[in-house]
Amino acid sequence: MTYASPEITYLESIRDWMATLTVWQTWTGLSGDALKARVVWPLKAAAALPVAVLSIGASTTKNLTGAAGGANFQPDGVFKMWVYAEDTNADPQISYSDFADKLFQLKAEMADKAHEAPVLFNEFSISDEAILHSSDVLDETVTDAYWFGLIMIRWGVEA
C-alpha cells in the first residue's frame, strides 16, 4: 500500500536512511534489506535484536505565514525511536556502558548525517531515564535480558 501522510512516509524514509549509518550497520552486523528490516514499527514487527522501533509522537500542521489568504501550512512533529539490544555481558556496569556508548554514537551519527536524509530533522535528543534494562520493567521470571534506549527525533518545519 502507498501511504500519503508525512508521518508514515517519513517513517519509511527514516528506515531507509538508517541503513546508510555506519554505527547501525556495525551494531547489527547487517547490510541492505536485512539492515532495513531492523528498523520497524511497531515493536511486534521486530524479528530479532538489535532493532530500532519507530513510534509517531505529536505532530502539527502550522500556518507559517499567519494569514488566511496566503496560508502556508507545513507539518512538523516528533518520532520516538526505541533501540533494543541483547544484554550479552555478565557485568552490569560494562553491559550498560556498552549499550549506552552505541546509543550515543548512533545519535551523534544521525546528527552528523541528517543533511543526507529525506526528512528535515531539527533535533535528536536522549531524555531522562533514557536507558533501561528489561529487569527494570519486567518481573524477574523473564529470562530474556535486553537493554532499551530512547532517542527523540524532532522533524519538519518548526515556526
Side-chain angles (χ1 to χ4, degrees), residues 48-136:
L49 301 179
V51 66
V53 180
L54 294 169
S55 174
I56 299 170
S59 69
T60 59
T61 304
K62 296 177 186 169
N63 181 350
L64 298 181
T65 63
N72 177 16
F73 284 92
Q74 297 293 321
D76 73 357
V78 175
F79 293 123
K80 297 173 185 175
M81 186 172 78
W82 294 93
V83 180
Y84 294 79
E86 291 177 281
D87 179 356
T88 57
N89 195 306
D91 182 318
Q93 188 167 340
I94 291 172
S95 182
Y96 179 92
S97 295
D98 288 348
F99 179 83
D101 186 55
K102 290 175 187 168
L103 186 69
F104 282 96
Q105 284 183 49
L106 180 61
K107 179 182 68 95
E109 186 177 14
M110 290 170 76
D112 288 345
K113 295 188 176 174
H115 65 282
E116 297 173 6
V119 176
L120 174 61
F121 292 121
N122 295 310
E123 180 180 88
F124 301 100
S125 62
I126 295 180
S127 62
D128 294 341
E129 298 182 37
I131 299 173
L132 295 172
H133 193 268
S134 55
S135 63
D136 296 335

Side-chain angles (χ1 to χ4, degrees), residues 2-19:
T2 302
Y3 297 101
S5 70
E7 291 80 2
I8 300 300
T9 58
Y10 288 174
L11 287 179
E12 293 172 340
S13 296
I14 291 170
R15 176 199 56 215
D16 296 346
W17 172 71
M18 288 280 296

